[in-house]
Amino acid sequence: MLLLETEIVIISYLEGANCLHIKWLMKPDDAAFVHAHLAALQLSLERQSVKFYCTDLTSVGALTREQEYWLNQELYKKSYNILQDDFFVAVVFSEEHFKAVVSNYIVPSATPSHEFVHFNYFTDQAEALQWLRGIKKGQDTALIQAVS
């Protein structure tokens, strides 16, 4: 279900995975980046607190340092404060971007990590969505067992 479409981004709700899919079509400026993510957060609330996100960066490459900083310092904290639960993000890179990330990986020291946001990185959207569905299925099974 299409939730938001601009020339920069498409945000869809994928019901089978209870997931918001954010596909960047072109590199956003900081204002468009923040607007799209805040819209996604609002849309997740309207869908009973969606906790699964798939972000497709294959068309835009790496985010800027400012965008990464904003995600880490603002959005993730705000999301957790609203959801009051862990959430999961599958990030889809192009093959070239993924190889560059792996080749240039440095253990982050200055960037705080949040134990409530769980990432996994992919070069294939189907695999990313499968990972999210697997987590959802595991959570659903645990909930059923807890109720029984």
Side-chain angles (χ1 to χ4, degrees):
M1 167 190 296
L2 183 64
L3 300 174
L4 175 70
E5 182 174 13
T6 70
E7 67 273 357
I8 297 172
V9 66
I10 298 173
I11 302 175
S12 305
Y13 175 69
L14 307 177
E15 194 165 334
N18 191 28
C19 170
L20 278 185
H21 181 254
I22 303 168
K23 179 167 181 59
W24 292 100
L25 304 173
M26 64 174 55
K27 199 146 195 93
D29 64 19
D30 291 346
F33 183 79
V34 168
H35 173 74
H37 278 93
L38 291 177
L41 181 58
Q42 181 61 40
L43 294 168
S44 77
L45 290 172
E46 294 168 8
R47 296 272 163 212
Q48 281 112 19
S49 301
V50 171
K51 296 183 283 184
F52 303 100
Y53 301 88
C54 181
T55 301
D56 186 338
L57 298 174
T58 56
S59 297
V60 298
L63 301 175
T64 67
R65 287 183 193 265
E66 292 79 14
Q67 291 166 343
E68 289 279 355
Y69 181 83
W70 181 82
L71 288 172
N72 211 8
Q73 295 301 312
E74 301 290 330
L75 184 68
Y76 300 152
K77 291 176 186 179
K78 183 178 288 209
S79 298
Y80 180 75
N81 289 337
I82 291 169
L83 297 171
Q84 290 296 302
D85 202 357
D86 289 8
F87 53 97
F88 302 84
V89 181
V91 182
V92 183
F93 294 130
S94 67
E95 285 282 341
E96 298 78 28
H97 185 186
F98 187 81
K99 287 176 186 173
V101 169
V102 171
S103 298
N104 298 308
Y105 181 76
I106 299 172
V107 177
S109 58
T111 306
S113 63
H114 304 292
E115 64 278 352
F116 50 81
V117 60
H118 307 276
F119 292 96
N120 206 345
Y121 303 93
F122 301 88
T123 58
D124 181 80
Q125 181 177 303
E127 289 177 8
L129 292 173
Q130 185 61 36
W131 177 71
L132 292 168
R133 284 187 190 102
I135 294 167
K136 180 182 180 308
K137 183 178 178 182
Q139 289 181 344
D140 291 347
T141 301
L143 181 62
I144 290 168
Q145 290 174 348
V147 173
S148 299

